[in-house]
Amino acid sequence: MKIVHPESLLIQELLKESSQELNNGSGFSIADAKHLVPGVKLASTTVVAAEELDPSQVVAHLLESGASHLVQRNAKHFAQDINLSFGMLKRSEDYFSHPGSFIAGEVEQSVEVSFSTTLDKPGMRREITQFLSKISSQNVIESAEAVVEELYMNAMLDAPREAAKRGQINCSYDVGLHSVMRLHLAKDRLIVSCEDPFGSLDHRKFLKRMSEVYKKGAGESINFREGGAGLGCVIMFEHSESLYLGVLPGHKTLVSCVIPVGMSYRQRANVKKSIHII
Amino acid sequence: MAKFEIKVTKSGANYKVDIGGVVDEDADFNPHALAGAQNVEMHLGQVKGINSCGIREWIKWVGTSGGAKVTYHECPKVIVDQINMVQGFLPTGGKVESFYVPYYSDEAGSEKTVLFRYGQEFTDNAVNPPAEVKDPEGNEMEMDVVEAKYFKFIKK
């Protein structure tokens, strides 16, 4: 593993405490957000480590640096999440085939609901509400429902439209395609994932849109024209501890949001956020 | 996650609006334009959620109130979050008369919401929370919000 910023105290501490856990790092690089130089691009095989960045700064650093993963230090998962990022650089197919267990390790319970028309939404909501009733925390339920709403709209509205703009043959649910919403409950995390059959998500455009909403404010950024309102990206991120944007162009998009479980709203507000682009 | 519902009761130029369920892309505010109202009282205690398309439709709809005096009542956290995050969600000159604040017990992990009312638990630029909040088992609870963020709309 190459260390881009050997002077970084954050990286030094990480290596001192957890070098054994970073077994996926061989062949990749790790940088410290604090030492990034504006305008200097990193290799896409670099994982950026950070602490104390607010959500808009996470987005800004990824856009500016060109890196694929920015992982912030939180109490429990820092080394594991850094190693997971290296794992995704090494074998992204693991994320696409089983995102829940790939992200969280052991998954206790899961639910999976397919949808392809707006008529499917009430049934999807019912199944998800039933699944979420196993969680006693209202703050987790509220976040999960908010994330499901935005993932659903992205899959139903934005994804096929983007696919059509690109001239993809698979650009409509009319030809028998469907999307899948999955929720996986692990010990201290809930992973909400949505897979669509279009593979039309543009990471850079997604991050740029987030950046615009953070800079201008949600009210000034709303899209009042056709399609989505353009706020879903930020809404999902605000409800999550980390966001995973996985795309197999022309084939599949798999977006996952990780929501911490077992915390109050105030404790969750202190959790620093991460983004992974696969 | 209940379906969107809206009911507007008119008494001359005074409109009382009750909204419930999830305000989403299917929420149709068109039959309920607020033009002609002088006072619009919105009761939001039954709103369960709002997505980004719902936020957009809401802003377009409250914009039809023109110069009416608009008040929001019993705002759940999902609505307070939008008031704080999205300019225009509460129209210019609009006022929050009451809203819910989440409370949490670190000891028991229990959650509940407490209604804060204008003139009692908050005023135009101050928050006066109840002296003590307990869960049904008697565990003390604390306000479970980042105060600078959650009460931002009050201190504007």
mmCIF file of all heavy atoms in Angstrom, chain A residues 95-96 99-100 103 147-148 150-152 154-155 159 180-184 191-196 200-203 206 210 232-233 236-237 240 242-248 252-258 275-276 278:
data_model
loop_
_atom_site.group_PDB
_atom_site.id
_atom_site.type_symbol
_atom_site.label_atom_id
_atom_site.label_comp_id
_atom_site.label_asym_id
_atom_site.label_seq_id
_atom_site.Cartn_x
_atom_site.Cartn_y
_atom_site.Cartn_z
ATOM 1 N N TYR A 95 -19.330 -6.229 -4.241
ATOM 2 C CA TYR A 95 -20.336 -5.246 -3.836
ATOM 3 C C TYR A 95 -21.622 -5.467 -4.630
ATOM 4 O O TYR A 95 -22.713 -5.477 -4.079
ATOM 5 C CB TYR A 95 -19.822 -3.816 -4.062
ATOM 6 C CG TYR A 95 -20.913 -2.776 -3.970
ATOM 7 C CD1 TYR A 95 -21.505 -2.466 -2.749
ATOM 8 C CD2 TYR A 95 -21.388 -2.133 -5.116
ATOM 9 C CE1 TYR A 95 -22.534 -1.534 -2.663
ATOM 10 C CE2 TYR A 95 -22.408 -1.198 -5.037
ATOM 11 C CZ TYR A 95 -22.987 -0.907 -3.813
ATOM 12 O OH TYR A 95 -24.009 0.001 -3.737
ATOM 13 N N PHE A 96 -21.487 -5.672 -5.930
ATOM 14 C CA PHE A 96 -22.685 -5.798 -6.773
ATOM 15 C C PHE A 96 -23.473 -7.079 -6.488
ATOM 16 O O PHE A 96 -24.683 -7.106 -6.623
ATOM 17 C CB PHE A 96 -22.306 -5.748 -8.262
ATOM 18 C CG PHE A 96 -21.935 -4.366 -8.725
ATOM 19 C CD1 PHE A 96 -20.607 -4.020 -8.933
ATOM 20 C CD2 PHE A 96 -22.915 -3.412 -8.933
ATOM 21 C CE1 PHE A 96 -20.271 -2.734 -9.345
ATOM 22 C CE2 PHE A 96 -22.583 -2.128 -9.346
ATOM 23 C CZ PHE A 96 -21.259 -1.793 -9.548
ATOM 24 N N PRO A 99 -24.431 -6.635 -1.641
ATOM 25 C CA PRO A 99 -24.037 -5.384 -0.987
ATOM 26 C C PRO A 99 -24.207 -5.394 0.527
ATOM 27 O O PRO A 99 -23.369 -4.850 1.250
ATOM 28 C CB PRO A 99 -24.969 -4.338 -1.622
ATOM 29 C CG PRO A 99 -26.112 -5.113 -2.196
ATOM 30 C CD PRO A 99 -25.556 -6.439 -2.564
ATOM 31 N N GLY A 100 -25.256 -6.014 1.027
ATOM 32 C CA GLY A 100 -25.514 -5.984 2.471
ATOM 33 C C GLY A 100 -24.388 -6.614 3.257
ATOM 34 O O GLY A 100 -23.774 -5.990 4.129
ATOM 35 N N ILE A 103 -20.895 -4.920 2.839
ATOM 36 C CA ILE A 103 -20.677 -3.689 3.603
ATOM 37 C C ILE A 103 -20.626 -3.968 5.103
ATOM 38 O O ILE A 103 -19.758 -3.465 5.815
ATOM 39 C CB ILE A 103 -21.785 -2.658 3.303
ATOM 40 C CG1 ILE A 103 -21.677 -2.164 1.853
ATOM 41 C CG2 ILE A 103 -21.712 -1.475 4.264
ATOM 42 C CD1 ILE A 103 -22.885 -1.366 1.377
ATOM 43 N N VAL A 147 -34.897 7.429 2.684
ATOM 44 C CA VAL A 147 -33.932 6.923 1.698
ATOM 45 C C VAL A 147 -34.645 6.053 0.657
ATOM 46 O O VAL A 147 -34.399 6.173 -0.545
ATOM 47 C CB VAL A 147 -32.804 6.138 2.398
ATOM 48 C CG1 VAL A 147 -31.981 5.344 1.408
ATOM 49 C CG2 VAL A 147 -31.896 7.094 3.175
ATOM 50 N N VAL A 148 -35.548 5.198 1.107
ATOM 51 C CA VAL A 148 -36.304 4.345 0.171
ATOM 52 C C VAL A 148 -37.063 5.210 -0.838
ATOM 53 O O VAL A 148 -37.069 4.924 -2.037
ATOM 54 C CB VAL A 148 -37.280 3.413 0.939
ATOM 55 C CG1 VAL A 148 -38.346 2.831 0.018
ATOM 56 C CG2 VAL A 148 -36.514 2.288 1.631
ATOM 57 N N GLU A 150 -36.376 8.197 -1.957
ATOM 58 C CA GLU A 150 -35.500 8.833 -2.944
ATOM 59 C C GLU A 150 -34.887 7.801 -3.893
ATOM 60 O O GLU A 150 -34.754 8.056 -5.094
ATOM 61 C CB GLU A 150 -34.403 9.643 -2.240
ATOM 62 C CG GLU A 150 -34.930 10.749 -1.343
ATOM 63 C CD GLU A 150 -35.884 11.717 -2.034
ATOM 64 O OE1 GLU A 150 -35.738 11.955 -3.254
ATOM 65 O OE2 GLU A 150 -36.790 12.247 -1.336
ATOM 66 N N LEU A 151 -34.519 6.648 -3.372
ATOM 67 C CA LEU A 151 -33.968 5.602 -4.236
ATOM 68 C C LEU A 151 -35.023 5.131 -5.235
ATOM 69 O O LEU A 151 -34.737 4.893 -6.414
ATOM 70 C CB LEU A 151 -33.488 4.413 -3.396
ATOM 71 C CG LEU A 151 -32.188 4.621 -2.612
ATOM 72 C CD1 LEU A 151 -31.932 3.439 -1.686
ATOM 73 C CD2 LEU A 151 -30.999 4.817 -3.545
ATOM 74 N N TYR A 152 -36.241 5.016 -4.758
ATOM 75 C CA TYR A 152 -37.344 4.595 -5.627
ATOM 76 C C TYR A 152 -37.526 5.588 -6.779
ATOM 77 O O TYR A 152 -37.618 5.213 -7.945
ATOM 78 C CB TYR A 152 -38.635 4.470 -4.810
ATOM 79 C CG TYR A 152 -39.888 4.336 -5.663
ATOM 80 C CD1 TYR A 152 -40.286 3.104 -6.167
ATOM 81 C CD2 TYR A 152 -40.651 5.463 -5.987
ATOM 82 C CE1 TYR A 152 -41.418 2.985 -6.967
ATOM 83 C CE2 TYR A 152 -41.778 5.346 -6.794
ATOM 84 C CZ TYR A 152 -42.160 4.110 -7.275
ATOM 85 O OH TYR A 152 -43.266 4.009 -8.078
ATOM 86 N N ASN A 154 -35.436 7.770 -7.955
ATOM 87 C CA ASN A 154 -34.288 7.773 -8.851
ATOM 88 C C ASN A 154 -34.385 6.615 -9.837
ATOM 89 O O ASN A 154 -34.148 6.774 -11.032
ATOM 90 C CB ASN A 154 -32.986 7.676 -8.049
ATOM 91 C CG ASN A 154 -31.774 7.815 -8.945
ATOM 92 O OD1 ASN A 154 -31.550 8.847 -9.558
ATOM 93 N ND2 ASN A 154 -31.001 6.764 -9.060
ATOM 94 N N ALA A 155 -34.772 5.439 -9.316
ATOM 95 C CA ALA A 155 -34.864 4.259 -10.180
ATOM 96 C C ALA A 155 -36.035 4.371 -11.162
ATOM 97 O O ALA A 155 -35.933 3.932 -12.308
ATOM 98 C CB ALA A 155 -35.019 2.994 -9.326
ATOM 99 N N ALA A 159 -33.325 7.276 -13.653
ATOM 100 C CA ALA A 159 -32.475 6.264 -14.297
ATOM 101 C C ALA A 159 -32.924 5.937 -15.725
ATOM 102 O O ALA A 159 -32.095 5.967 -16.653
ATOM 103 C CB ALA A 159 -32.405 5.000 -13.433
ATOM 104 N N VAL A 180 -34.864 -3.457 -7.916
ATOM 105 C CA VAL A 180 -35.007 -4.186 -6.655
ATOM 106 C C VAL A 180 -34.571 -3.298 -5.494
ATOM 107 O O VAL A 180 -33.468 -2.741 -5.517
ATOM 108 C CB VAL A 180 -34.147 -5.472 -6.641
ATOM 109 C CG1 VAL A 180 -34.418 -6.272 -5.362
ATOM 110 C CG2 VAL A 180 -34.418 -6.334 -7.857
ATOM 111 N N MET A 181 -35.418 -3.175 -4.507
ATOM 112 C CA MET A 181 -35.077 -2.468 -3.267
ATOM 113 C C MET A 181 -34.759 -3.532 -2.221
ATOM 114 O O MET A 181 -35.524 -4.492 -2.058
ATOM 115 C CB MET A 181 -36.270 -1.631 -2.795
ATOM 116 C CG MET A 181 -35.965 -0.672 -1.679
ATOM 117 S SD MET A 181 -35.111 0.823 -2.225
ATOM 118 C CE MET A 181 -36.359 1.606 -3.215
ATOM 119 N N ARG A 182 -33.617 -3.375 -1.561
ATOM 120 C CA ARG A 182 -33.236 -4.348 -0.527
ATOM 121 C C ARG A 182 -32.893 -3.615 0.761
ATOM 122 O O ARG A 182 -32.233 -2.583 0.736
ATOM 123 C CB ARG A 182 -31.999 -5.148 -0.960
ATOM 124 C CG ARG A 182 -32.203 -6.020 -2.188
ATOM 125 C CD ARG A 182 -30.942 -6.816 -2.498
ATOM 126 N NE ARG A 182 -31.125 -7.621 -3.700
ATOM 127 C CZ ARG A 182 -30.765 -7.238 -4.913
ATOM 128 N NH1 ARG A 182 -30.203 -6.075 -5.120
ATOM 129 N NH2 ARG A 182 -30.988 -8.033 -5.961
ATOM 130 N N LEU A 183 -33.316 -4.171 1.871
ATOM 131 C CA LEU A 183 -32.912 -3.659 3.176
ATOM 132 C C LEU A 183 -32.252 -4.807 3.929
ATOM 133 O O LEU A 183 -32.768 -5.916 3.967
ATOM 134 C CB LEU A 183 -34.117 -3.143 3.978
ATOM 135 C CG LEU A 183 -34.602 -1.732 3.644
ATOM 136 C CD1 LEU A 183 -35.322 -1.678 2.308
ATOM 137 C CD2 LEU A 183 -35.515 -1.209 4.736
ATOM 138 N N HIS A 184 -31.084 -4.503 4.520
ATOM 139 C CA HIS A 184 -30.349 -5.515 5.280
ATOM 140 C C HIS A 184 -30.072 -4.953 6.662
ATOM 141 O O HIS A 184 -29.471 -3.888 6.794
ATOM 142 C CB HIS A 184 -29.002 -5.817 4.609
ATOM 143 C CG HIS A 184 -29.103 -6.235 3.177
ATOM 144 N ND1 HIS A 184 -29.464 -7.500 2.794
ATOM 145 C CD2 HIS A 184 -28.895 -5.544 2.030
ATOM 146 C CE1 HIS A 184 -29.469 -7.573 1.472
ATOM 147 N NE2 HIS A 184 -29.130 -6.399 0.980
ATOM 148 N N ILE A 191 -28.622 -1.302 6.015
ATOM 149 C CA ILE A 191 -28.205 -0.948 4.655
ATOM 150 C C ILE A 191 -29.434 -0.958 3.765
ATOM 151 O O ILE A 191 -30.172 -1.950 3.701
ATOM 152 C CB ILE A 191 -27.151 -1.949 4.124
ATOM 153 C CG1 ILE A 191 -25.892 -1.822 4.972
ATOM 154 C CG2 ILE A 191 -26.781 -1.654 2.675
ATOM 155 C CD1 ILE A 191 -25.586 -3.001 5.793
ATOM 156 N N VAL A 192 -29.667 0.173 3.093
ATOM 157 C CA VAL A 192 -30.784 0.286 2.153
ATOM 158 C C VAL A 192 -30.179 0.391 0.761
ATOM 159 O O VAL A 192 -29.408 1.306 0.478
ATOM 160 C CB VAL A 192 -31.640 1.537 2.445
ATOM 161 C CG1 VAL A 192 -32.846 1.582 1.507
ATOM 162 C CG2 VAL A 192 -32.093 1.556 3.895
ATOM 163 N N SER A 193 -30.494 -0.571 -0.093
ATOM 164 C CA SER A 193 -29.902 -0.623 -1.433
ATOM 165 C C SER A 193 -30.975 -0.647 -2.490
ATOM 166 O O SER A 193 -32.027 -1.248 -2.293
ATOM 167 C CB SER A 193 -29.113 -1.920 -1.627
ATOM 168 O OG SER A 193 -27.927 -1.923 -0.915
ATOM 169 N N CYS A 194 -30.684 -0.011 -3.614
ATOM 170 C CA CYS A 194 -31.605 -0.106 -4.741
ATOM 171 C C CYS A 194 -30.796 -0.403 -5.999
ATOM 172 O O CYS A 194 -29.818 0.294 -6.290
ATOM 173 C CB CYS A 194 -32.397 1.187 -4.896
ATOM 174 S SG CYS A 194 -33.643 1.083 -6.190
ATOM 175 N N GLU A 195 -31.213 -1.431 -6.697
ATOM 176 C CA GLU A 195 -30.549 -1.833 -7.938
ATOM 177 C C GLU A 195 -31.495 -1.579 -9.092
ATOM 178 O O GLU A 195 -32.657 -2.037 -9.057
ATOM 179 C CB GLU A 195 -30.206 -3.321 -7.853
ATOM 180 C CG GLU A 195 -29.564 -3.875 -9.098
ATOM 181 C CD GLU A 195 -29.338 -5.382 -9.014
ATOM 182 O OE1 GLU A 195 -28.933 -5.862 -7.933
ATOM 183 O OE2 GLU A 195 -29.587 -6.066 -10.019
ATOM 184 N N ASP A 196 -31.046 -0.838 -10.079
ATOM 185 C CA ASP A 196 -31.875 -0.651 -11.284
ATOM 186 C C ASP A 196 -31.175 -1.271 -12.472
ATOM 187 O O ASP A 196 -29.965 -1.493 -12.458
ATOM 188 C CB ASP A 196 -32.220 0.832 -11.516
ATOM 189 C CG ASP A 196 -31.073 1.652 -12.081
ATOM 190 O OD1 ASP A 196 -30.505 1.282 -13.131
ATOM 191 O OD2 ASP A 196 -30.763 2.694 -11.487
ATOM 192 N N SER A 200 -27.207 3.818 -15.685
ATOM 193 C CA SER A 200 -27.078 5.136 -16.304
ATOM 194 C C SER A 200 -26.621 6.219 -15.340
ATOM 195 O O SER A 200 -26.522 7.382 -15.715
ATOM 196 C CB SER A 200 -28.427 5.549 -16.933
ATOM 197 O OG SER A 200 -29.441 5.558 -15.945
ATOM 198 N N LEU A 201 -26.340 5.857 -14.091
ATOM 199 C CA LEU A 201 -25.902 6.872 -13.129
ATOM 200 C C LEU A 201 -24.527 7.382 -13.514
ATOM 201 O O LEU A 201 -23.609 6.608 -13.782
ATOM 202 C CB LEU A 201 -25.852 6.263 -11.714
ATOM 203 C CG LEU A 201 -25.475 7.232 -10.601
ATOM 204 C CD1 LEU A 201 -26.642 8.125 -10.244
ATOM 205 C CD2 LEU A 201 -25.007 6.495 -9.364
ATOM 206 N N ASP A 202 -24.395 8.701 -13.532
ATOM 207 C CA ASP A 202 -23.109 9.343 -13.811
ATOM 208 C C ASP A 202 -22.599 9.873 -12.472
ATOM 209 O O ASP A 202 -23.152 10.822 -11.917
ATOM 210 C CB ASP A 202 -23.346 10.475 -14.817
ATOM 211 C CG ASP A 202 -22.086 11.225 -15.188
ATOM 212 O OD1 ASP A 202 -21.168 11.335 -14.337
ATOM 213 O OD2 ASP A 202 -22.017 11.737 -16.314
ATOM 214 N N HIS A 203 -21.522 9.253 -11.951
ATOM 215 C CA HIS A 203 -21.025 9.616 -10.620
ATOM 216 C C HIS A 203 -20.729 11.111 -10.513
ATOM 217 O O HIS A 203 -21.062 11.756 -9.534
ATOM 218 C CB HIS A 203 -19.688 8.913 -10.313
ATOM 219 C CG HIS A 203 -19.765 7.434 -10.304
ATOM 220 N ND1 HIS A 203 -18.931 6.651 -11.056
ATOM 221 C CD2 HIS A 203 -20.552 6.601 -9.599
ATOM 222 C CE1 HIS A 203 -19.208 5.386 -10.811
ATOM 223 N NE2 HIS A 203 -20.178 5.316 -9.945
ATOM 224 N N PHE A 206 -23.689 13.250 -10.433
ATOM 225 C CA PHE A 206 -24.350 13.059 -9.136
ATOM 226 C C PHE A 206 -23.664 13.912 -8.073
ATOM 227 O O PHE A 206 -24.309 14.659 -7.328
ATOM 228 C CB PHE A 206 -24.285 11.573 -8.777
ATOM 229 C CG PHE A 206 -25.116 11.161 -7.582
ATOM 230 C CD1 PHE A 206 -26.384 10.636 -7.744
ATOM 231 C CD2 PHE A 206 -24.599 11.262 -6.295
ATOM 232 C CE1 PHE A 206 -27.142 10.227 -6.643
ATOM 233 C CE2 PHE A 206 -25.355 10.856 -5.190
ATOM 234 C CZ PHE A 206 -26.623 10.340 -5.372
ATOM 235 N N MET A 210 -24.933 17.286 -5.983
ATOM 236 C CA MET A 210 -24.875 17.409 -4.518
ATOM 237 C C MET A 210 -24.168 18.708 -4.144
ATOM 238 O O MET A 210 -24.614 19.452 -3.268
ATOM 239 C CB MET A 210 -24.128 16.220 -3.903
ATOM 240 C CG MET A 210 -24.893 14.912 -3.955
ATOM 241 S SD MET A 210 -23.943 13.534 -3.272
ATOM 242 C CE MET A 210 -24.158 13.789 -1.520
ATOM 243 N N GLY A 232 -32.817 14.589 -4.077
ATOM 244 C CA GLY A 232 -32.739 13.255 -3.489
ATOM 245 C C GLY A 232 -31.339 12.839 -3.090
ATOM 246 O O GLY A 232 -31.137 12.168 -2.081
ATOM 247 N N CYS A 233 -30.345 13.242 -3.906
ATOM 248 C CA CYS A 233 -28.955 12.872 -3.622
ATOM 249 C C CYS A 233 -28.536 13.381 -2.247
ATOM 250 O O CYS A 233 -27.939 12.650 -1.437
ATOM 251 C CB CYS A 233 -28.027 13.403 -4.709
ATOM 252 S SG CYS A 233 -28.306 15.127 -5.174
ATOM 253 N N MET A 236 -30.632 11.720 0.702
ATOM 254 C CA MET A 236 -30.119 10.379 1.049
ATOM 255 C C MET A 236 -28.840 10.495 1.876
ATOM 256 O O MET A 236 -28.655 9.783 2.866
ATOM 257 C CB MET A 236 -29.811 9.587 -0.227
ATOM 258 C CG MET A 236 -31.037 9.118 -0.963
ATOM 259 S SD MET A 236 -30.676 7.841 -2.169
ATOM 260 C CE MET A 236 -29.668 8.732 -3.350
ATOM 261 N N PHE A 237 -27.944 11.370 1.451
ATOM 262 C CA PHE A 237 -26.659 11.500 2.146
ATOM 263 C C PHE A 237 -26.864 12.022 3.558
ATOM 264 O O PHE A 237 -26.210 11.579 4.498
ATOM 265 C CB PHE A 237 -25.732 12.407 1.337
ATOM 266 C CG PHE A 237 -24.277 12.310 1.720
ATOM 267 C CD1 PHE A 237 -23.687 11.091 2.006
ATOM 268 C CD2 PHE A 237 -23.487 13.451 1.768
ATOM 269 C CE1 PHE A 237 -22.339 10.994 2.355
ATOM 270 C CE2 PHE A 237 -22.136 13.368 2.103
ATOM 271 C CZ PHE A 237 -21.567 12.143 2.397
ATOM 272 N N SER A 240 -27.724 9.319 5.948
ATOM 273 C CA SER A 240 -26.838 8.142 5.974
ATOM 274 C C SER A 240 -25.506 8.440 6.641
ATOM 275 O O SER A 240 -25.075 9.575 6.728
ATOM 276 C CB SER A 240 -26.538 7.688 4.547
ATOM 277 O OG SER A 240 -27.725 7.509 3.814
ATOM 278 N N SER A 242 -22.897 6.491 5.335
ATOM 279 C CA SER A 242 -22.103 6.388 4.115
ATOM 280 C C SER A 242 -22.985 6.034 2.929
ATOM 281 O O SER A 242 -24.058 5.465 3.074
ATOM 282 C CB SER A 242 -20.957 5.394 4.271
ATOM 283 O OG SER A 242 -21.402 4.204 4.846
ATOM 284 N N LEU A 243 -22.476 6.436 1.768
ATOM 285 C CA LEU A 243 -23.206 6.300 0.512
ATOM 286 C C LEU A 243 -22.305 5.551 -0.468
ATOM 287 O O LEU A 243 -21.132 5.894 -0.618
ATOM 288 C CB LEU A 243 -23.497 7.713 -0.004
ATOM 289 C CG LEU A 243 -24.235 7.907 -1.320
ATOM 290 C CD1 LEU A 243 -25.627 7.324 -1.272
ATOM 291 C CD2 LEU A 243 -24.320 9.404 -1.627
ATOM 292 N N TYR A 244 -22.873 4.526 -1.091
ATOM 293 C CA TYR A 244 -22.135 3.741 -2.073
ATOM 294 C C TYR A 244 -22.815 3.907 -3.429
ATOM 295 O O TYR A 244 -24.012 3.628 -3.557
ATOM 296 C CB TYR A 244 -22.154 2.244 -1.681
ATOM 297 C CG TYR A 244 -21.384 1.923 -0.427
ATOM 298 C CD1 TYR A 244 -21.871 2.290 0.827
ATOM 299 C CD2 TYR A 244 -20.168 1.240 -0.493
ATOM 300 C CE1 TYR A 244 -21.158 2.001 1.985
ATOM 301 C CE2 TYR A 244 -19.450 0.939 0.668
ATOM 302 C CZ TYR A 244 -19.960 1.324 1.896
ATOM 303 O OH TYR A 244 -19.242 1.036 3.027
ATOM 304 N N LEU A 245 -22.054 4.359 -4.421
ATOM 305 C CA LEU A 245 -22.612 4.551 -5.762
ATOM 306 C C LEU A 245 -21.916 3.585 -6.706
ATOM 307 O O LEU A 245 -20.779 3.815 -7.111
ATOM 308 C CB LEU A 245 -22.356 5.991 -6.245
ATOM 309 C CG LEU A 245 -22.858 7.116 -5.344
ATOM 310 C CD1 LEU A 245 -22.365 8.461 -5.867
ATOM 311 C CD2 LEU A 245 -24.375 7.118 -5.288
ATOM 312 N N GLY A 246 -22.612 2.497 -7.034
ATOM 313 C CA GLY A 246 -22.014 1.487 -7.905
ATOM 314 C C GLY A 246 -22.693 1.472 -9.260
ATOM 315 O O GLY A 246 -23.916 1.440 -9.346
ATOM 316 N N VAL A 247 -21.894 1.533 -10.329
ATOM 317 C CA VAL A 247 -22.479 1.523 -11.677
ATOM 318 C C VAL A 247 -21.721 0.562 -12.577
ATOM 319 O O VAL A 247 -20.489 0.612 -12.637
ATOM 320 C CB VAL A 247 -22.418 2.928 -12.338
ATOM 321 C CG1 VAL A 247 -23.160 2.907 -13.671
ATOM 322 C CG2 VAL A 247 -23.015 3.971 -11.435
ATOM 323 N N LEU A 248 -22.463 -0.289 -13.251
ATOM 324 C CA LEU A 248 -21.932 -1.061 -14.369
ATOM 325 C C LEU A 248 -22.606 -0.425 -15.583
ATOM 326 O O LEU A 248 -23.777 -0.672 -15.862
ATOM 327 C CB LEU A 248 -22.299 -2.546 -14.246
ATOM 328 C CG LEU A 248 -21.701 -3.256 -13.033
ATOM 329 C CD1 LEU A 248 -22.235 -4.672 -12.894
ATOM 330 C CD2 LEU A 248 -20.170 -3.294 -13.137
ATOM 331 N N LYS A 252 -26.299 -1.927 -14.959
ATOM 332 C CA LYS A 252 -26.864 -1.951 -13.608
ATOM 333 C C LYS A 252 -26.321 -0.781 -12.799
ATOM 334 O O LYS A 252 -25.138 -0.435 -12.914
ATOM 335 C CB LYS A 252 -26.411 -3.255 -12.958
ATOM 336 C CG LYS A 252 -26.887 -3.497 -11.547
ATOM 337 C CD LYS A 252 -26.111 -4.604 -10.834
ATOM 338 C CE LYS A 252 -26.324 -5.971 -11.383
ATOM 339 N NZ LYS A 252 -25.858 -7.024 -10.453
ATOM 340 N N THR A 253 -27.182 -0.181 -11.998
ATOM 341 C CA THR A 253 -26.741 0.779 -10.980
ATOM 342 C C THR A 253 -27.179 0.230 -9.638
ATOM 343 O O THR A 253 -28.316 -0.230 -9.492
ATOM 344 C CB THR A 253 -27.374 2.171 -11.199
ATOM 345 O OG1 THR A 253 -26.935 2.709 -12.439
ATOM 346 C CG2 THR A 253 -26.995 3.117 -10.074
ATOM 347 N N LEU A 254 -26.274 0.260 -8.658
ATOM 348 C CA LEU A 254 -26.603 -0.217 -7.310
ATOM 349 C C LEU A 254 -26.148 0.840 -6.318
ATOM 350 O O LEU A 254 -24.961 1.041 -6.122
ATOM 351 C CB LEU A 254 -25.916 -1.555 -7.045
ATOM 352 C CG LEU A 254 -26.094 -2.173 -5.660
ATOM 353 C CD1 LEU A 254 -27.551 -2.388 -5.300
ATOM 354 C CD2 LEU A 254 -25.357 -3.516 -5.583
ATOM 355 N N VAL A 255 -27.122 1.540 -5.743
ATOM 356 C CA VAL A 255 -26.828 2.583 -4.756
ATOM 357 C C VAL A 255 -27.203 2.052 -3.376
ATOM 358 O O VAL A 255 -28.281 1.485 -3.205
ATOM 359 C CB VAL A 255 -27.628 3.871 -5.054
ATOM 360 C CG1 VAL A 255 -27.384 4.920 -3.977
ATOM 361 C CG2 VAL A 255 -27.262 4.417 -6.426
ATOM 362 N N SER A 256 -26.295 2.205 -2.432
ATOM 363 C CA SER A 256 -26.563 1.742 -1.068
ATOM 364 C C SER A 256 -26.320 2.875 -0.083
ATOM 365 O O SER A 256 -25.356 3.630 -0.222
ATOM 366 C CB SER A 256 -25.638 0.581 -0.695
ATOM 367 O OG SER A 256 -25.793 -0.503 -1.574
ATOM 368 N N CYS A 257 -27.201 2.949 0.900
ATOM 369 C CA CYS A 257 -27.059 3.939 1.973
ATOM 370 C C CYS A 257 -26.969 3.181 3.290
ATOM 371 O O CYS A 257 -27.774 2.271 3.536
ATOM 372 C CB CYS A 257 -28.264 4.872 2.016
ATOM 373 S SG CYS A 257 -28.466 5.837 0.520
ATOM 374 N N VAL A 258 -26.011 3.559 4.117
ATOM 375 C CA VAL A 258 -25.830 2.892 5.400
ATOM 376 C C VAL A 258 -26.331 3.806 6.505
ATOM 377 O O VAL A 258 -25.867 4.944 6.638
ATOM 378 C CB VAL A 258 -24.350 2.539 5.635
ATOM 379 C CG1 VAL A 258 -24.174 1.864 6.994
ATOM 380 C CG2 VAL A 258 -23.825 1.644 4.527
ATOM 381 N N ILE A 275 -18.177 8.527 1.346
ATOM 382 C CA ILE A 275 -18.764 8.202 0.039
ATOM 383 C C ILE A 275 -17.837 7.226 -0.686
ATOM 384 O O ILE A 275 -16.599 7.378 -0.652
ATOM 385 C CB ILE A 275 -18.955 9.464 -0.845
ATOM 386 C CG1 ILE A 275 -20.048 10.372 -0.259
ATOM 387 C CG2 ILE A 275 -19.344 9.073 -2.278
ATOM 388 C CD1 ILE A 275 -20.314 11.618 -1.079
ATOM 389 N N HIS A 276 -18.466 6.247 -1.339
ATOM 390 C CA HIS A 276 -17.704 5.264 -2.105
ATOM 391 C C HIS A 276 -18.253 5.217 -3.523
ATOM 392 O O HIS A 276 -19.460 5.082 -3.715
ATOM 393 C CB HIS A 276 -17.850 3.869 -1.470
ATOM 394 C CG HIS A 276 -17.432 3.823 -0.035
ATOM 395 N ND1 HIS A 276 -16.161 3.499 0.341
ATOM 396 C CD2 HIS A 276 -18.120 4.075 1.108
ATOM 397 C CE1 HIS A 276 -16.077 3.538 1.670
ATOM 398 N NE2 HIS A 276 -17.237 3.893 2.158
ATOM 399 N N ILE A 278 -18.084 3.144 -6.998
ATOM 400 C CA ILE A 278 -17.625 1.826 -7.497
ATOM 401 C C ILE A 278 -17.952 1.696 -8.972
ATOM 402 O O ILE A 278 -19.074 1.911 -9.388
ATOM 403 C CB ILE A 278 -18.327 0.702 -6.690
ATOM 404 C CG1 ILE A 278 -18.116 0.917 -5.185
ATOM 405 C CG2 ILE A 278 -17.778 -0.659 -7.080
ATOM 406 C CD1 ILE A 278 -19.380 1.157 -4.415
#
